[in-house]
Amino acid sequence: MGFEVLLKGSNMSRLLVGLAVALRISMISVAISIVLGVILGSLMTLKNPVIKVVSKIYLEFIRIMPQMVLLFLVFFGTTKALGINMSADTASIIVFSLWGTAEMSDLVRGALSGIPKIQYESSFSLGMTTAQTYIHVIIPQIIRRMLPLSINLVTRMIKTTSLVMMIGIVEVLKVGQQIIEANRKSSPNAAFGVYATIFILYFLVCWPISILSKYLEKKWES
Amino acid sequence: MDEILSIKNLTKTFDDFVVLDHINMDVKKGEVVVIVGPSGCGKSTFLRCINAFEKIDDGSVLLSGESINPSKGKQNKTREKVGMVFQSYELFPHKTVLQNMILAPMKVKKVKKKDAEKEALVLLERVGLLSKKDSYPHQLSGGQKQRVAIVRALMMNPEVLLLDEITAALDPEMVREVLDVVINLAKEGRTMVIVTHEMLFAKAVADRMIFIDGGRIVEEGDPVSFFENPQTERLKKFLNSFTY
């Protein structure tokens, strides 16, 4: 079946290192996206016309553009056009953060605008200050509304990192290809075993996150 | 009796539209004032001005002799003393009944959790909701939510309680359980300003009735003469619209 190729030499550990590369890119991007997404999403609720137009263009641009095109644009485009020598790692973190920030900001905006003004007033009417209202009343509700969807976004970002091999990053999928290539003669069936293993690795990473999302969704359902 | 609330020439406009036009009203300690009027007449805005939710364009609102001025950024100090219950309950959905009640006393008044809980349980017992103390708002009926909202406001021991159409969103069979709570509060001597469309309730609970139309107080008086012997045509017409 081709699984035996992974037992040869350091093949399995190379695959795991590849997975770590993919996870590192996605986790850094997720962290940046959360911070920037919360800031942008909050700004978007201010109803400032300039912010509104700029954020709308940004969101639409990111949504329409396939991630791979964006990746090529940033990695090859900027290097040539702007003369910036950017590592593939940096390029992919930029692209994934651009994407994650767009999606995250929309989630934050949705969650914030979903809380009616009178809910703030209800807290104010009890004598609570603006800070107390945000800390104890508004933010906990926003987190509850957002978390299941943001977790979903995290799994999508992890899965999409498989694209970064297109700009030369040796992540799990690329390592898999290398293993298959190197063992083409000795194990012609390696493709199945290697890709199946990669499938299982992705599954092992994303499944618990997905379960957590479902659990939270159920717990906070109201 | 001393005046808790003293409102002089209160005027409020939205753009060019005058919502409240030189309203004068005093509320004494322990008095229950019920405000009625057609929808859009400014009743709710009036309550919101008392609680510093609306910027007042002219006139003054004095609470125990102190001015309420929404522009000064000290509204939270005012609101500590003024309780408000809304038509849509506005409980905090992520907190249990008990947590809803003890949050503000603990954060604003720095009451110890144990003491706040003790007080909350006494109040819940009184409105028949002790068994619901650990329920979340979405597990309660509308009438139950509104009773919780009332006792949550009472936890701050407000000098005045404002009730803004608190039964308007309720199913008819739940109105009674909420109004009974309010009638009991009136008997205990709570000072309240109530906006409602429930005329029979108004008659039962009010020490004084006020009829607002077009942003002005058109008529006011004790409930008996207000309902049985209205002086103005507008009030007669308004009261008639409630009979078939």
Side-chain angles (χ1 to χ4, degrees):
Chain A
M1 294 287 275
F3 286 103
E4 73 286 346
V5 71
L6 291 164
L7 301 173
K8 276 194 215 158
S10 59
N11 282 351
M12 190 63 203
S13 61
R14 280 180 61 208
L15 213 52
L16 289 175
V17 170
L19 185 69
V21 170
L23 287 180
R24 193 183 77 95
I25 290 172
S26 42
M27 286 307 134
I28 293 174
S29 310
V30 164
I32 295 173
S33 301
I34 289 173
V35 174
L36 295 182
V38 168
I39 295 171
L40 181 64
S42 314
L43 288 175
M44 278 155 77
T45 59
L46 294 181
K47 286 175 186 149
N48 176 308
V50 179
I51 294 173
K52 209 172 163 183
V53 171
V54 172
S55 60
K56 186 156 179 127
I57 292 172
Y58 167 56
L59 253 67
E60 288 299 316
F61 178 78
I62 298 291
R63 270 190 200 137
I64 291 165
M65 194 77 111
Q67 268 86 37
M68 187 137 69
V69 179
L70 210 54
L71 213 50
F72 284 176
L73 183 72
V74 171
F75 185 60
F76 300 115
T78 53
T79 342
K80 288 271 184 281
L82 306 174
I84 301 168
N85 204 354
M86 194 187 288
S87 75
D89 259 21
T90 313
S92 41
I93 287 170
I94 289 175
V95 167
F96 278 84
S97 302
L98 279 173
W99 171 39
T101 302
E103 298 241 4
M104 194 56 102
S105 67
D106 209 31
L107 291 179
V108 173
R109 185 200 53 77
L112 265 173
S113 55
I115 293 175
K117 196 177 142 215
I118 194 159
Q119 181 75 199
Y120 294 78
E121 288 178 349
S122 146
S123 173
F124 294 150
S125 78
L126 292 165
M128 305 245 275
T129 62
T130 309
Q132 286 169 335
T133 297
Y134 271 96
I135 294 168
H136 301 292
V137 178
I138 304 302
I139 293 173
Q141 289 187 57
I142 288 174
I143 292 175
R144 276 170 170 74
R145 281 166 191 233
M146 270 184 47
L147 214 58
L149 289 169
S150 345
I151 288 176
N152 209 325
L153 175 63
V154 172
T155 58
R156 279 192 294 144
M157 283 173 83
I158 292 173
K159 286 187 289 184
T160 317
T161 49
S162 56
L163 292 178
V164 301
M165 67 175 242
M166 302 302 291
I167 58 170
I169 295 180
V170 186
E171 46 69 75
V172 61
L173 200 58
K174 187 75 197 167
V175 174
Q177 282 186 345
Q178 288 171 347
I179 295 172
I180 296 164
E181 290 287 314
N183 298 281
R184 207 171 23 191
K185 289 251 168 60
S186 55
S187 352
N189 281 334
F192 181 79
V194 171
Y195 288 136
T197 307
I198 292 173
F199 166 83
I200 292 165
L201 288 178
Y202 270 119
F203 181 79
L204 288 178
V205 171
C206 293
W207 190 55
I209 302 178
S210 193
I211 296 264
L212 176 68
S213 155
K214 285 228 177 63
Y215 166 76
L216 291 174
E217 212 161 345
K218 209 162 191 174
K219 192 180 166 198
W220 291 336
E221 200 177 353
S222 61
Chain B
M1 286 203 287
D2 36 294
E3 277 150 16
I4 282 193
L5 201 58
S6 172
I7 295 153
K8 299 252 180 300
N9 284 323
L10 172 59
T11 300
K12 169 79 195 164
T13 55
F14 285 126
D15 296 324
D16 286 337
F17 181 67
V18 182
V19 188
L20 296 172
D21 190 3
H22 297 89
I23 301 252
N24 288 293
M25 185 179 109
D26 290 326
V27 180
K28 298 189 189 86
K29 192 169 166 42
E31 197 179 18
V32 178
V33 177
V34 176
I35 301 172
V36 295
S39 47
C41 72
K43 317 178 290 272
S44 288
T45 310
F46 179 66
L47 286 192
R48 293 171 58 81
C49 286
I50 300 177
N51 210 3
F53 278 136
E54 301 288 347
K55 218 174 159 222
I56 299 165
D57 293 309
D58 197 16
S60 65
V61 178
L62 298 181
L63 179 71
S64 314
E66 273 180 64
S67 168
I68 289 175
N69 192 343
S71 62
K72 274 190 179 160
K74 283 187 179 167
Q75 298 100 316
N76 60 313
K77 288 283 157 215
T78 298
R79 292 179 190 138
E80 262 187 70
K81 298 179 210 151
V82 183
M84 187 158 189
V85 182
F86 302 85
Q87 179 181 333
S88 49
Y89 335 120
E90 298 306 325
L91 299 177
F92 307 135
H94 59 295
K95 291 188 178 291
T96 64
V97 168
L98 199 57
Q99 289 166 344
N100 259 279
M101 292 176 71
I102 63 173
L103 178 66
M106 280 168 60
K107 300 301 167 191
V108 179
K109 289 194 160 175
K110 314 290 178 203
V111 178
K112 283 205 192 85
K113 187 174 181 199
K114 216 176 70 193
D115 298 336
E117 280 182 345
K118 218 164 116 193
E119 200 188 336
L121 294 179
V122 171
L123 285 170
L124 280 176
E125 167 99 71
R126 264 174 43 196
V127 296
L129 289 174
L130 194 55
S131 61
K132 300 287 180 191
K133 68 182 169 67
D134 295 319
S135 300
Y136 282 90
H138 70 96
Q139 297 167 316
L140 304 179
S141 72
Q144 291 169 334
K145 280 187 226 179
Q146 199 57 296
R147 282 184 278 162
V148 172
I150 293 170
V151 288
R152 183 178 69 175
L154 291 179
M155 285 293 288
M156 293 301 288
N157 218 346
E159 291 173 29
V160 189
L161 193 58
L162 310 175
L163 307 181
D164 190 4
E165 301 199 28
I166 58 165
T167 57
L170 292 178
D171 289 334
E173 71 269 24
M174 290 171 183
V175 170
R176 184 67 193 237
E177 65 190 49
V178 172
L179 296 185
D180 279 346
V181 170
V182 180
I183 286 177
N184 278 329
L185 294 179
K187 282 184 193 148
E188 286 166 19
R190 288 270 173 192
T191 315
M192 291 188 277
V193 181
I194 302 172
V195 166
T196 185
H197 284 298
E198 301 281 341
M199 292 302 148
L200 290 172
F201 161 68
K203 210 172 183 171
V205 79
D207 293 317
R208 184 149 52 100
M209 291 295 306
I210 289 183
F211 174 57
I212 294 185
D213 193 9
R216 287 167 173 270
I217 294 180
V218 176
E219 189 166 341
E220 62 182 304
D222 66 279
V224 176
S225 53
F226 184 90
F227 284 105
E228 275 153 33
N229 191 17
Q231 300 298 306
T232 57
E233 274 308 307
R234 272 199 277 178
L235 178 56
K236 274 180 205 164
K237 230 176 123 188
F238 176 74
L239 291 175
N240 268 334
S241 65
F242 286 90
T243 53
Y244 295 96

